[in-house]
């Protein structure tokens, strides 16, 4: 087989230089580019504006740590069990970043983008957005689907991150169609669902990331990046004020042996 | 068993508020705190200065992406094989962040910190640092250990990241004892080893992180945080300009069947 | 909060004994129960018959190793990069066990079970199965879905595992409705699709596992169990006849730097 | 660069056949080779005897599941959080298979093999083994190292797995030098340590695997293979009798916010 080559615009090095995204890493990136900015740049291969960085970093802050989530508990327990491998403890925590706990960001971004793609031209005022939102929420309700980004098990009367992210995006001139539609969903859904649910923080983060033009397939990836910083914080705290062994024992010492409950007995 | 409680200074929420590190997340963190700053804060529970953030983010930039490393290839191949799970592709890549490819940062930071801990008072001038470095490199050489942070398979005449990080740390007044000792190792090792090796970028990053007062047990964790951003960049590029299937085929189509080579035949 | 308890029928221990699935581990399981048998038992909480074990182990053998798959390459590269963590190398490989490379087993089992659930009574002869298969394949074709378990990129004229697993299941009296429907799909699909595709090995494994009464949600899990044995084999071979560094270099040395290709330029 | 080839004795396929370890997969492996036997064969590239399979499977049974260990809790929590990815839940659980909870098997096998390598000829009777064990335990004690395989936090007066595995190995004529030395350690250590500790099950498993001639670098891998079956059992039970959400809530609802505890304040 002929050898192939593998094109990339990311990191490259020669004996005397290292480039990243076409720039000299040492001279032009190190000391010049913030980490949020760099993460955005790596994902899009274009350097974001200051305003884009601010919105992006606000999203990362919103998603970095939510206390003793399953992902945080998993990272602490894995470190307890295998302290020789920090990479394993972080990876194990990230593996919980799936559909239920971190997936709302991506689901919401995709949901909004899907609706927008079908509507051209887009609404030009709040009344127009409300009409589109009403149509959308009604259609989702009728087909039995849950609208992503609505509801929160703790912040029942409003997630404090949501108005703040709307505000930051507006300040930076980055309040685009995804946020507009999401806000309209927040206004109109009580008329369809018969009760008022909060727009949750994970959802508004998805809307904001989509308005930043980030790839929809990777919205979950940004939530995972934020969470990596949070999990390092969890590990740092665990190292100094450990709780993982207590968590383990609180489960193990409360186990209760029950007889097997055979599955599929009728088969075979 | 009495229920325990689990203290934490990280994320916490009530129905109406979310706090992170004792601050109101929405009001005081989102839109106000950069992502590198937040990651530092989460890991140390103290807010870093602007200078500390600049050095920290320079380190993250230095470590974010090095092109087609094993970790990058692994993330792309895992995504090829399981595109339903972005978290799995990122976690798989991070699992390569062990002793060989990402571990130098931690090894070097620990090495320097270990030497410093044994020497009180610390040297006050370059001659003093050189003497300490000479003693250290000699001792390591005699016991057959490799000095971490020395040598690079590509940048044989100098890793461009190294002088740049020394410079940035000096600009910010954060050129502390770990960097001082590391620089001295760079000056004196040819006298002991009989050849001149470059101080590599991963090593200087470890020295700089240690001078920032970050926990030594987690230096690898910061390399992994940087790499998470890089791996998202790799995935984003893979989505648009895929190479993973070509990589897979370049291996699979060049496999060569050989007869089994029994191991441990003499046993049992 | 009141302490909860956590019921389980799996492993439990007291100072003087260990039980597993209600049996004395040392006396009744060790030395008495094969590993395939135990895996089945753990998953279903019922002890399988000898015939069930034979079919189950035939499936595991069929799925254990397929040479240089992405999962095998990933495990080898991760071990190259982080040789300190065998668990990381195995976990990284398993993370490729998703929808594309290992998922067919589960998809096919679920597909067949879904059809069977809708049809009561089930057919009693081949003509009846053919009619059901014809109706099913036609419906899937019309709704644009691919029928799971059909087609193979290498074994275009027939996957040798398929007839063998039908045979073993028949020998053990475990050729049930899932295998019957799958065989019928193999017979009738050319009439609908206009070409003849092989019934692939991953698909027939899913049908056989479903006929064994194993939980559909975990069919992928059994493929992963089989693959764990295969990945240990890959690591064992890598330790003695390493190829991972050559694979890495074949990619890295053939990288080609290209300019960034900005994404989402029009946004923001 | 010239294309390389990648030799392997594991799985290979042509359009009409699949071979595994040089045998026809469909004809000679499926239905003929048990799963424990296959795992051994894949790891060593030699087919084990019936006795070797029995000892090997007894080890796997001993290590498969120990109830609510950190690895089991992690797998259940990860599945709760990301139910879309069974592979992620299993991989997360395996990542806890490091030095503390699953590593004893490997540590003990390596320890015994290291001692044996230094002693030629090996003892020929119990008195000789006792002398070697006495010398070894004394030396380890003096250098402040813990002897692997001694002690258990629950089975303080004896781990029931240990005598059983000795017995099975003896029945199969596979009671070799590693088991002999381990048994002698059990007899003599009270004279050195001043108290009697049990030989634990993880340790005797390492000794038995080493006597089977399996590669020492992968002893942890076999523990992980056993545990994969156990974790599938945990997931299967979780699907039908879920406890992960209760575990999560028992931690989250008992969190206690404390003020940040700044680390490294004196630095920088």
């Amino acid at each position: 087989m002929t050898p192939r080559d593998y094109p990339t615009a990311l990191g490259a090095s020669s004996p005397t230089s290292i480039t990243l995204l076409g720039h000299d890493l040492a001279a032009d990136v190190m000391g010049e580019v913030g980490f949020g900015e760099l993460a955005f740049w790596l994902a899009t291969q274009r350097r974001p504006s200051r305003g884009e960085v601010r919105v992006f970093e606000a999203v990362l802050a919103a998603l970095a740590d939510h206390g003793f989530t399953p992902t945080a508990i998993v990272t602490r327990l894995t470190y307890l069990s295998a302290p020789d491998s920090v990479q394993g403890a972080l990876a194990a925590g990230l593996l919980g970043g799936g559909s239920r706990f971190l997936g709302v960001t991506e689901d919401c971004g995709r949901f909004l983008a899907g609706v927008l793609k079908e509507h051209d031209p887009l609404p030009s005022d709040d009344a127009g957005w409300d009409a589109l939102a009403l149509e959308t929420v009604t259609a989702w309700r009728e087909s039995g689907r849950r609208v992503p980004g609505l509801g929160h098990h703790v912040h029942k009367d409003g997630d404090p991150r949501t108005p703040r992210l709307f505000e930051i995006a507006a300040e930076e001139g980055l309040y685009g169609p995804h946020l507009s539609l999401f806000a309209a969903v927040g206004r109109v859904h009580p008329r369809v669902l018969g009760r008022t649910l909060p727009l949750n923080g994970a959802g508004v983060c998805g809307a904001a990331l989509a308005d930043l033009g980030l790839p929809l397939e990777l919205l979950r990836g940004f939530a995972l990046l934020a969470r990596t910083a949070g999990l390092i914080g969890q590990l740092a705290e665990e190292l100094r004020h450990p709780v993982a062994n207590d968590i383990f024992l609180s489960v193990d010492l409360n186990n209760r042996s029950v007889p097997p409950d055979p599955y599929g007995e009728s088969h075979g």
Side-chain angles (χ1 to χ4, degrees), chain A:
Chain A
M1 213 180 83
T2 325
R4 300 156 184 279
D5 65 6
Y6 304 106
T8 182
L10 301 172
S13 48
S14 75
T16 56
S17 78
I18 305 177
T19 57
L20 188 64
L21 296 156
H23 288 258
D24 186 296
L25 172 65
D28 301 335
V29 183
M30 289 172 64
E32 305 298 321
V33 179
F35 185 53
E37 184 179 0
L38 181 63
F40 190 116
W41 197 347
L42 283 162
T44 60
Q45 305 200 357
R46 76 177 176 85
R47 187 165 188 174
S49 70
R50 284 176 75 92
E52 287 175 318
V53 173
R54 184 159 173 254
V55 173
F56 184 60
E57 292 191 316
V59 168
L60 296 179
L63 300 175
D65 185 79
H66 299 155
F68 288 115
T69 54
T71 62
I73 301 170
V74 160
T75 284
R76 289 181 184 244
L77 285 172
T78 303
Y79 188 73
L80 171 72
S81 189
D84 43 313
S85 170
V86 166
Q87 71 269 27
L90 293 176
L94 293 181
L95 289 171
S99 55
R100 205 169 296 171
F101 271 77
L102 281 186
V104 175
T105 297
E106 180 162 325
D107 293 344
C108 191
R110 285 174 182 269
F111 155 66
L112 298 166
V115 173
L116 295 175
K117 206 175 57 181
E118 303 294 315
H119 289 81
D120 185 20
L122 294 174
S124 54
D125 58 14
D126 273 7
W129 286 112
D130 282 6
L132 177 54
L134 196 60
E135 176 194 326
T136 302
V137 175
T138 304
W140 278 55
R141 210 250 160 110
E142 280 168 3
S143 62
R145 287 172 293 174
R146 288 189 51 170
V147 176
L150 270 184
H152 196 285
H153 68 293
V154 174
H155 308 298
K156 293 185 197 302
D157 297 326
D159 185 323
R161 296 169 295 180
T162 305
R164 180 66 177 132
L165 195 57
F166 279 123
E167 183 181 57
I168 294 167
E171 286 168 9
E172 304 299 341
L174 291 161
Y175 193 114
H178 300 84
L179 284 166
S180 298
L181 177 56
F182 193 59
V185 166
R187 290 190 297 268
V188 308
H189 76 270
R191 281 186 254 163
V192 185
L193 306 182
R195 60 192 174 129
T196 301
L197 296 168
L199 293 175
N200 61 46
V204 75
C205 286
L209 292 174
D211 269 345
L212 290 172
L214 292 163
L216 295 175
E217 299 89 337
L218 294 177
L219 296 193
R220 186 184 296 187
F222 301 111
L224 292 163
L225 174 62
R227 188 50 53 96
T228 304
L231 292 176
I232 291 171
Q234 294 280 341
L235 276 184
E237 190 170 75
E238 177 70 21
L239 278 163
R240 299 168 67 216
H241 305 290
V243 301
N245 202 52
D246 279 357
I247 293 173
F248 159 51
L249 291 177
S250 82
V251 179
D252 192 38
L253 299 180
N254 289 305
N255 89 75
R256 178 165 53 86
S257 274
V258 295
D261 175 15
Y263 177 87
E265 198 101 62
S266 61
H267 295 270

